[in-house]
Amino acid sequence: MSVTKLVVANRGEIAIRVLRAAADLGIATVAIHSADDAASLHVAQGDEAIALEGRGVAAYLDGAQIIERARESGADAVHPGYGFLAESADFARQCAEAGLTFVGPSVDALALFGDKVQARQLAAAEGVPVLAGTDGPTSVEEAEAFFASLPDGAAMMIKAVAGGGGRGTRAVHSADAISATFERCRSEAEGAFGDGSLYVEQLLERARHVEVQMLGDGTDVVDFGERECSVQRRYQKLLEVAPAPGLAAGLRTRLLAAAQRLAVASGYESLGTVEFLVDAADQGDDAAFYFIETNARLQVEHTVTEAVTGVDLVQAQLRIAGGATLSELGLTQDQIPPARGYAIQARVNMETLSADGQTRPGGGTLTAFEPPTGPGVRTDTYGYTGYTTNPAFDSLLAKVIGHAPTADFADAVRRTSRALSEFRIEGVATNVGFLQNVLAHPDFVAGRIETRFVEERIAELVDEGGHPRRFVATEGPSGGGFAGAQVGTADPLGLFAHDRAVKESHGATATESADLQGPDGSIGLPAPIQGTIVSVLVAEGDTV
């Protein structure tokens, strides 16, 4: 069995990523979109596009409608990307009942790892360390009792049983803050996942967030090494690195083995990520670490693992969904390439941060959008010039990945920073300057990273001045955003190419402005716009 036609049940950059991987495998593709998301770039990337009824997030969470549209299109598989329905055991089950292959873990694995309490219990049973915590959905009274049982000075994490991405998760340092924080987490989890259940565990104050990329075929599992994810803002990742810089070899071996035990015990199939906290007070081979959760889906930061291994993880995921084994893919553990150098992913969000850590959301129309390119640089995005962003969706606009094949982490830092300096984004506020500040910080360059890195340095990281801008920004006389030179039509080297608004204001139709070449190959200007200032491109050999 193989996948022949795929519906991508997502939007934005991750939908584009999956659509491209499928196209490269010769799989026909279908993009979907909500009523208010038709202008998103992913819609143009599929062989077909289907409009869903409904607006905003709700449309992408309407599993029954997505399945109905998929069947009507003749698709035989659905890829959920990440977020939305990606970790829904019910959606995966409904796909199977409709005769559609769900490109992701099995229903049982989704149910298991979708409940973080059950996942903790499996980890403990497999000898993987977990932090002290409650063993099931927890009431506020039980949370208060657990906090009271902790040693003096200890803190507690309140966490959502379902979902991920930091939603429904907050730290509590005093007993009098428990009730209000608990309710805030419950409300946030209910809104994000439709499940307000919470549990609590002891907070590890100084920790690195390290995760392991897994791939299984239902029988065998392999790992692709680890990623460092400690640069976070309120438990949401901002930069990720593969492999984790400065991680002791013995500790790495122990982390990979722990992830393997969990994946094998669950009979894991497809892509998944096992996440750990590592005690930052001890950087040696015997440092303590603790299981957090398993994300049973394609991860946002899969890109850096692809960069250092050269393996297309999404294609591997699609081929396993089509029935291939790891052995048939040439991806048994001894065939996994070792990490080559370092890769860094910077999440470009439509937001800015204030000195007190508050986030100010951004949005609007992208009046200029030119992603960086070049050796070792990858940009995953759905942005384009003229696109008006939609506040109904996540603030992530682009992921910039810089990869350097050398053993010096600083080389990858410089490449990623340089790439960000080339990223021209106008019309929308972003966190590019903040990301550049993180990359320039000596503690980051030295690999001295932990989960409180941003929190403790926020005042110095939000000062966005002083970074080079390695692109040319041009404007017309009225600030209209013309790109290129602007000259009078008397210029004998001007090749006509001007803004539609200028054409129409002078009475020229789209047809007239497009059909300017005479039989001798010369270019002429319609009378209504002669003498107008226009934006031009010059082509060698053309006459005007």
Side-chain angles (χ1 to χ4, degrees), residues 206 434 441 443-444 448 450 452-462:
R206 295 287 177 184
F434 173 85
H441 200 285
D443 287 338
F444 181 86
R448 295 188 292 267
E450 56 183 75
R452 295 177 63 182
F453 178 90
V454 170
E455 173 191 340
E456 294 180 343
R457 299 164 178 82
I458 188 65
E460 55 186 305
L461 294 176
V462 297

Side-chain angles (χ1 to χ4, degrees), residues 490-512:
D491 184 345
L493 298 178
L495 176 63
F496 180 66
H498 64 83
D499 183 83
R500 176 182 294 271
V502 175
K503 295 194 286 278
E504 294 179 350
S505 70
H506 288 78
T509 66
T511 301
E512 289 170 338

Side-chain angles (χ1 to χ4, degrees), residues 515-524:
D515 188 17
L516 301 170
Q517 190 168 24
D520 60 353
S522 64
I523 304 295

Side-chain angles (χ1 to χ4, degrees), residues 44 99 223 290 298 323 449 486 537:
D223 71 76
Y290 305 92
L298 172 65
I449 315 168
Q486 296 186 50
L537 300 172

